[in-house]
Amino acid sequence: KGGTYLNQVLSDILDMSLLDQGKVQLKKETINISSLIGDCVEPYLDRARAKNIKIIIDVQDQLSSIGDPQAINKALSALISNGLKFNDFGGTIRICARNHGSKNTIYVEDSGHGIDPTLMTKLGRPFEQSTQFLENGMKGSGLGLAIAQSIGLLHGGCLRIKSKQGIGTVVMLRLPALSLQSDEAKALLHSREAA
């Protein structure tokens, strides 16, 4: 367990370092949001079952974005992982995705303890984290939200957090929606036709 924990922390530090230095090159393509969320959730199903946490997925039909699927997977996985870490036995995580004009928003909502209001302004900064310990008695790297936020910004989106103690937390990851009229979408379409 200690080795796995250390490996995850080192991986997060490396990712954050690359993001800070602007060395992450996005490989943009059309992303089906429903498929992406399904891929992100699957590795966490055993952990959810172990804590009897119900995961609900509610995605608007035909929702697509332009972006780097691997990077967005990493960002969303960090949010799902946090939802599991800081949720109680028998809790719920709801992952919802909706279109809002030129942006798609993915919401990851948990029924955990919520976040201390005094810590809200610090979350999203590297190495800042809540005071709660994880299931294994250790603390996380404090980089998950910072990485997710940086990935959202790289895509021209953003990350927002709303939380109430005793009720739970909602993290919103906003990404550019796929519009067939956008120059980027047309370029992707032409590159596929050429291939």
Side-chain angles (χ1 to χ4, degrees):
K1 285 183 181 179
T4 302
Y5 166 75
L6 183 59
N7 185 54
Q8 184 60 57
V9 170
L10 291 173
S11 176
D12 286 349
I13 290 170
L14 179 59
D15 287 338
M16 194 71 246
S17 175
L18 292 172
L19 286 163
D20 273 350
Q21 295 173 42
K23 292 185 177 179
V24 174
Q25 296 291 323
L26 298 178
K27 296 175 183 174
K28 292 188 177 180
E29 58 184 76
T30 303
I31 300 169
N32 178 292
I33 297 295
S34 182
S35 296
L36 176 77
I37 290 173
D39 290 344
C40 290
V41 167
E42 190 172 352
Y44 294 98
L45 291 177
D46 286 342
R47 280 175 58 191
R49 279 191 283 268
K51 290 182 75 173
N52 196 29
I53 291 174
K54 185 176 182 181
I55 298 179
I56 301 166
I57 299 174
D58 176 15
V59 181
Q60 185 177 326
D61 288 340
Q62 307 299 318
L63 214 56
S64 297
S65 284
I66 293 177
D68 185 324
Q70 188 174 355
I72 296 172
N73 184 306
K74 183 161 188 69
L76 191 53
S77 293
L79 305 184
I80 295 167
S81 179
N82 279 352
L84 285 169
K85 288 173 186 175
F86 302 116
N87 213 332
D88 290 327
F89 186 88
T92 302
I93 294 175
R94 183 171 180 262
I95 304 165
C96 176
R98 295 287 184 269
N99 174 259
H100 299 102
S102 64
K103 303 287 183 187
N104 289 327
T105 306
I106 302 173
Y107 305 86
V108 179
E109 177 182 353
D110 70 64
S111 60
H113 294 289
I115 301 167
D116 184 336
T118 61
L119 298 173
M120 286 293 290
T121 56
K122 297 179 181 180
L123 291 180
R125 296 182 199 164
F127 303 108
E128 293 287 352
Q129 55 194 170
S130 89
T131 55
Q132 291 176 283
F133 285 89
L134 311 186
E135 307 102 317
N136 57 12
M138 300 178 184
K139 297 198 80 173
S141 66
L143 291 171
L145 285 176
I147 289 169
Q149 182 168 262
S150 294
I151 288 170
L153 290 171
L154 270 178
H155 282 83
C158 63
L159 185 124
R160 299 283 183 266
I161 305 168
K162 291 184 179 180
S163 185
K164 285 191 176 181
Q165 284 192 291
I167 296 176
T169 302
V170 181
V171 184
M172 295 162 277
L173 179 62
R174 188 158 287 172
L175 301 166
L178 175 62
S179 166
L180 294 177
Q181 305 304 316
S182 74
D183 292 337
E184 206 163 9
K186 288 174 185 174
L188 280 172
L189 184 62
H190 289 314
S191 67
R192 282 193 188 141
E193 288 173 348

